[in-house]
Structure formats: C-alpha cells, structure tokens
Amino acid sequence: MPIFILDDESAGEWKYGGASRWFLYEALNNLSKQLDHKLSIFQGDAKAIIPELIKKVGASSIYWNRCYEPWCIKRDALIKGNLKSEGITVKTFNASLLWEPWEVLKKDGSPYKVFTPFYRKGCLMSQPPRYPLDTPVEMNFLSSDDCKDLNTLGLKPSSDWFKKLENFWDASTKGALSKLSIFLDSALSDYREGRNFPGRKCVSFLSPYLRYGLVSPNIVWHAALSANPNNLEDKNLDTFLSELGWREFSYYLLFHFPDLPTTNLQKKFDRFPWRSNAEDFFEKWKWGLTGYPLIDAGMRELYETGYMHNRLRMVVGSFLVKNLLIDWRYGEQWFWDCLVDADLASNSAGWQWIAGCGADAAPYFRIFNPITQSEKFDSEGMYIKQHVPELSGLPSKYIHAPWQAPESILKESGVELGNNYPYPIVDIKASRQKALEAFAQTKM
DNA sequence: CCTGGAGTTGTCCTA
DNA sequence: TTAGGACAACTCCAG
C-alpha cells in the first residue's frame, strides 16, 4: 500500500524550498496518475501518522526506503524503535544511494574526507552497485478518510513563477528516462570536455530526478555502463560515473558530519571576516545584476529554469564568497529555494567546497575570475546571450566585460551601462586581493 | 609510527 | 602566444 507523507513539521529549517515544492507537486501528481490516482497522501508529523495508520489498517509490517537527511534519520529511527517494540516488522531499504555511507570506511574504520580515495578505493573497490529492480507487479491500496488531496498540501506555489519551470521540466518517470536516453545518445560521448561549456547542453539534467527518486542512481549507473559496454576505460564514461560518485560523497559527508549544512567543516573558518551590511550586494547577486555577464547569466538561469549548470554553480559561488565576501550560507539558502534539484547533501557540500571550508578543501588562492572563466568556457557568449538578452547585441569580443567596450560599440549594440545593464559592482582585482587577505587573517 | 605523494574544476606572472 | 611554476602549508591516505 503506497503512501506519501509530506512532513514539513519534522524538517525544521530544511523544509522544501519553492522550486522543490513545485517539482515535488508535479512528481507526485504524475506518480498518482500512474497508480490510477490511488496514491495515498498525508500531511503532518510522520511519527504520529504512521502508527495511527498501522493501527487502523491492522498492518503487521511496514517498509520504507531510507532517507539520509539528519532530521529524517532521527525521525525514522524513533518511528522504527516504537513500532518494533509493538511487534511490528519494520524493513528499510536503500533506494537512493549506490553505497551506504556507513559501509565505506578507511582501514582504521574512520570516514574518508577526500573524494578521490573515497570513490576510487572506498566505493569502486567494494561491491558494485546493485542492478535496478523491476516495477512491482502487484500492489494494494489504502482507503482512508484521512488522505489528503494533493492540491491542499501547499506544495503548488501560489505565484505564477513556477509556470516558467514547466517549460523545462517534465517531472515524471517518463521525463526522467527521456533525459537519460537523450544524454546517453548525444552527450555522453563528449561528456568530459563538453560538460565544461554551459552553452552546450552536454550534461544529463538528471539532478532533480535523482533528488526525488524519479530515477535511481542504479538505473543511471547501469544504463551508462551498458551504453558503453566495450570500453570500461572510456574517459567520458568514467567522468560521468564519478559525478554520481560526487553525489554519493555529498551524502556520505552529510551522514558522517551532520552539521554540514550549517557549520564550517574547517573550524578556522569560523573566524572568517565576512562583509557586514552586504544586503545590497546580495540582492544584486541573487537577481543577476552584478555587471559581470557570466555571473548574471548563471543567476538568471537559476531563476528562470530552477537549474544552473555546474560550472556556473562554482563560478557564482566563488564570486559570492570570495569577491563579495558574503557568507556561503546565504548562497546556500538562495540555491535551496530556487533549485529544482535542491538537495541538502549536494547543496551543502558544494557550498562548503567552493567556500574552501569543506572537507576536501580547495587551496584558498583558487578564486575564479568571472572574465577568464567566461572567455574560456563561453567564448562566443552563447550562454550569456541566452540568459542576459540585453547584451545579445554585443560582439563576442566584448561580451565578457562590456565596460571595456568602446562607446561606439556599446551604442550600436543597444547597451547603456548603468542604465539597461549595470557597471560591475566590484573590481575583480581589488576584491580578489581582499579575499586573499581575509583568508590569511583566518589562518592566524 | 614514518614517509611520500596527492588533493575535481584556478589565476597570474614570467620566461 | 604559450608553457610552466608560484601561490602555503596542511591534511589526508596508503603502504
């Protein structure tokens, strides 16, 4: 008897963000359709709902797939303990990770902190990921007066903002498998190189589907492997699979370091001198009005589509944290609200990584230059023009730094700096220097 | 316990 | 124009 419980009560500060709520709404709607509208939906504290239901239907056992958010683990352990003491059989399964975080450990029994040994040694040298399971042939359905109508859960946003997302995402199993096969057919063979260029659609776009379990990593893993069965040494395949490995690593870190979403993994960063009164800069960053075209393109892609290309996530993150000196947790919050793939593990781990305070910390001097990145990875300005239409008239030579363009070119292109497109809000060289000094201060 | 190599994704300067 | 080294020092990890 499949049921779904929307448990905002237990989620605390990590209730689903706006984009997530929209995606989840669509996904549940589609799942319910798939099940002849018989998916039973509840809302509220699972600790109360589940025991009540069990009594009501006289169930003797309950199965669920494991979640890995710290608040879920806590809640589910409590439920499991209570039910077991009442003689109910509780079985839990892994449906969302390729390797259980508690099974991958170093020889001394402690968890890995560096990705490469975690993945290459810890994961790849242990059991290979299990094959996907078939769809259940038989299912019972619950009939209960307490079931909620999906539309009453408050998942579907009241604003029109989500309408834009409909253009980009088909939040169904079908949508997931279609993304997967398009990727395998047309992008995997150039993935290692192509994934660096946000203007090319050379990524899988599977993140939101993985996030909500519309497709499992096992399906993706084995589909990718069998798309390329003759060449296990293939660099493109290897790179793609290792991205699934990064997803695993994020969950792994969250499991072993449950404070990951809120606390610098490296304690010395607690002393970092973040900018005060940064409200104005933060607003400009959020809405893609920093005056750096690549940054603005990334931020607007996020708001328009609920997604951002991975390279841009790094570039805008680096800009927020290092050039604007704004605490990474602000960026994490904004992503949490805007991303359709908002995932506590991946989002937190990503922000800690880019801020340099994570487990596998980048050297502090690695500060992305938005102009260099733009010239390197969007040389024709394809991506920028797509998301920052007011610059679409500029020749590619000037699109990376419009304030350096001659007046005549700007005029011809219809760009009026300070009017229809902003001047840069900070100077790259000076702000980089400031960041380096701030990091030096943190070390003391 | 010691040792040595390595650490997703960069930038800048110099030769 | 381009390739290579500096940018710190530290921690992680395996042998």
Side-chain angles (χ1 to χ4, degrees), chain A residues 3-113:
Chain A
I3 66 169
F4 175 85
I5 304 173
L6 178 67
D7 186 356
D8 276 335
E9 278 175 48
S10 305
E13 60 182 314
W14 296 109
K15 290 179 187 43
Y16 294 110
S20 294
R21 299 183 90 79
W22 171 81
F23 196 92
L24 183 59
Y25 171 85
E26 295 289 320
L28 286 169
N29 203 16
N30 286 319
L31 176 62
S32 193
K33 270 187 216 161
Q34 236 174 293
L35 299 173
D36 279 338
H37 301 282
K38 286 183 194 155
L39 177 66
S40 304
I41 291 173
F42 299 87
Q43 181 170 31
D45 187 351
K47 289 193 293 296
I49 292 173
I50 287 179
E52 256 171 54
L53 266 179
I54 284 183
K55 253 193 211 118
K56 205 168 203 174
V57 302
S60 58
S61 61
I62 177 166
Y63 301 172
W64 68 72
N65 291 330
R66 288 173 209 130
C67 295
Y68 297 85
E69 287 79 6
W71 64 267
C72 286
I73 293 176
K74 216 161 114 192
R75 178 197 61 189
D76 295 352
L78 208 71
I79 296 174
K80 190 173 179 176
N82 289 342
L83 292 178
K84 272 189 161 169
S85 69
E86 287 172 32
I88 307 286
T89 306
V90 182
K91 286 192 184 172
T92 68
F93 300 88
N94 176 353
S96 56
L97 291 180
L98 301 172
W99 291 277
E100 292 290 9
W102 51 87
E103 287 176 0
V104 180
L105 296 166
K106 289 183 296 180
K107 268 195 190 141
D108 67 0
S110 63
Y112 286 97
K113 291 183 169 173

Side-chain angles (χ1 to χ4, degrees), chain A residues 19 49 109 155 180 194 257 290 344 350 357 365 375 402 410 416 432:
Chain A
I49 292 173
L155 279 177
L180 177 59
F257 307 97
T290 68
L344 191 63
C357 54
F365 47 79
E375 289 167 344
L410 287 173
E416 292 173 50
R432 178 177 196 274

Side-chain angles (χ1 to χ4, degrees), chain A residues 112-116 118-119 123 244-255 260 345 349 359-360:
Chain A
Y112 286 97
K113 291 183 169 173
V114 176
F115 172 72
T116 304
F118 160 79
Y119 179 62
C123 296
L244 289 174
W246 272 94
R247 178 176 174 277
E248 298 287 314
F249 189 49
S250 299
Y251 273 87
Y252 182 85
L253 290 177
L254 181 61
F255 180 81
L260 184 76
D360 194 0

